Amino acid sequence: MTPLEATMTDTPYRSGFACFVGRPNAGKSTLTNALVGQKIAIASSKPQTTRHAVRGIITRDDGQLVLIDTPGLHRPRTLLGQRLNDLVFETWSEVDVVGVCLPCDQRIGPGDKFIIGEIAKLGHRPTLVALATKTDLVSRDRQLSHLVDIGNVAEELGIEWAEVVPCSATAGDQVDTVRDVLLSLLPEGPMYYPDGEITDEPEETLIAELIREAALEGVRDELPHSIAVVIDEIMPRADRPEGKPLTDIFASIVVERDSQKGIIIGHRGARLREIGTQAREQINRLLGTRVHLDLHVKVLKEWQRDAKHLNRLGF
């Protein structure tokens, strides 16, 4: 149904933008992927995994919801951190709805209250929805207690939840309800993206993120922030048999110090091969074709603090 057809049937066609906020590991990216129905945002146990605004598009007969997965708000220690925070505030001021992810397996703490308080200060305050995520990890009693705490924090901070929805993206619990609630809170408006489109992220960006996700697994706490990925070249392999295409992808994993390069490469290249294997499986799924992934590791000294390096890496 197009917006025009919706008007003809007296059904308002709603469209707009929403984003999820919350502390690290609150389930923001996992919930984004579950709602869109395909992986568009990488998820990791490491904090500050998301580095740019990823848009996921959900189109239905009654409306279109554009979900923006943003970096987490944090205390910046580098120029990169400051730029990511700026991106967060910019996104908050532009969306119609903000879903505050408050995981059931964690108590609501100062970090959550700080984020909610910052949103409350906005001149244009978006509609707020509380999402009690990770319901699959707790008992029914703990879930009910958490919902009471969510009501109390709204009263404490002088805000109002438009809706409170317990959910689990991993278990698929109430994901449809979250989708329905977010769409119902959007204003009437046009279809922003063609039906069938699920993200406006360039393929190259998605591939780089899948490589970075693989590189993040199993590394020490201080290293994740130092990892970036650059796609050097993507090209179809020539002279392949008909029906058996192969895509060559050449990419560089960028770190800040020589010692970090050694960690990524691993003993006799074992870690780099493992990263390549994990990433290649995900990229095969994304592109729907086999790929040959050629990875190299480069050192850009203190790139997180250098404006020229950040610009070159797309931040």
Side-chain angles (χ1 to χ4, degrees):
M1 182 187 296
T2 65
L4 176 60
E5 290 169 334
T7 303
M8 291 170 65
T9 59
D10 295 326
T11 303
Y13 191 89
R14 300 186 179 278
S15 63
F17 300 80
C19 73
F20 296 137
V21 303
R23 286 184 290 164
N25 301 324
K28 302 182 291 293
S29 296
T30 306
L31 185 55
T32 298
N33 291 334
L35 288 165
V36 173
Q38 186 171 319
K39 184 171 186 171
I40 61 161
I42 68 172
S44 170
S45 59
K46 305 295 180 185
Q48 305 308 324
T49 298
T50 304
R51 282 197 179 147
H52 59 285
V54 180
R55 296 188 180 209
I57 303 157
I58 300 161
T59 304
R60 302 197 319 193
D61 287 347
D62 56 345
Q64 185 175 75
L65 168 65
V66 183
L67 273 177
I68 307 174
D69 186 45
T70 61
L73 189 67
H74 64 294
R75 197 181 305 279
R77 292 181 294 181
T78 64
L79 181 57
L80 172 64
Q82 185 57 59
R83 289 189 178 184
L84 296 183
N85 272 3
D86 291 344
L87 177 61
V88 172
F89 282 110
E90 182 182 321
T91 302
W92 288 357
S93 66
E94 294 175 350
V95 297
D96 303 290
V97 183
V98 170
V100 182
C101 294
L102 300 162
C104 291
D105 64 333
Q106 301 173 36
R107 298 289 178 186
I108 297 174
D112 300 301
K113 293 177 183 178
F114 172 74
I115 291 170
I116 298 167
E118 290 298 303
I119 298 171
K121 292 178 189 174
L122 294 174
H124 161 68
R125 186 193 296 182
T127 301
L128 293 177
V129 174
L131 301 171
T133 57
K134 304 190 180 185
T135 53
D136 58 309
L137 299 182
V138 299
S139 67
R140 181 68 177 167
D141 285 347
R142 169 70 189 117
Q143 189 182 134
L144 291 173
S145 170
H146 191 62
L147 293 176
V148 171
D149 292 342
I150 287 174
N152 291 338
V153 79
E155 189 174 332
E156 178 186 337
L157 297 176
I159 59 138
E160 186 175 339
W161 302 120
E163 296 278 355
V164 179
V165 186
C167 60
S168 167
T170 304
D173 178 30
Q174 294 233 106
V175 172
D176 287 343
T177 303
V178 174
R179 191 183 292 116
D180 290 343
V181 164
L182 294 177
L183 263 165
S184 72
L185 295 171
L186 298 178
E188 292 184 32
M191 184 184 287
Y192 292 103
Y193 293 92
D195 193 4
E197 199 166 316
I198 61 166
T199 183
D200 62 357
E201 283 292 289
E203 214 167 59
E204 185 176 304
T205 303
L206 292 172
I207 291 169
E209 286 291 270
L210 291 173
I211 296 169
R212 187 164 67 90
E213 181 181 49
L216 285 172
E217 293 308 309
V219 298
R220 295 202 301 262
D221 288 345
E222 72 275 10
L223 184 52
H225 305 286
S226 299
I227 297 174
V229 175
V230 175
I231 303 299
D232 301 310
E233 191 173 15
I234 301 176
M235 56 192 298
R237 178 79 62 89
D239 303 323
R240 289 288 297 175
E242 191 175 339
K244 290 188 176 180
L246 180 69
T247 301
D248 285 311
I249 299 174
F250 299 89
S252 300
I253 299 175
V254 178
V255 293
E256 293 187 297
R257 296 190 291 276
D258 290 325
S259 60
Q260 295 170 341
K261 180 177 180 179
I263 293 170
I264 294 295
I265 293 174
H267 182 60
R268 295 183 177 178
R271 179 76 189 111
L272 190 61
R273 285 194 297 274
E274 189 179 318
I275 292 168
T277 299
Q278 289 180 19
R280 188 171 62 250
E281 290 174 1
Q282 297 274 7
I283 297 167
N284 284 343
R285 209 168 293 132
L286 172 70
L287 300 182
T289 181
R290 286 184 61 236
V291 302
H292 168 74
L293 183 58
D294 191 306
L295 293 177
H296 294 274
V297 185
K298 294 180 180 177
V299 177
L300 273 183
K301 301 288 186 184
E302 302 295 330
W303 66 262
Q304 292 184 81
R305 294 168 171 81
D306 188 306
K308 288 182 181 177
H309 289 332
L310 287 173
N311 293 339
R312 192 187 311 168
L313 293 170
F315 297 109

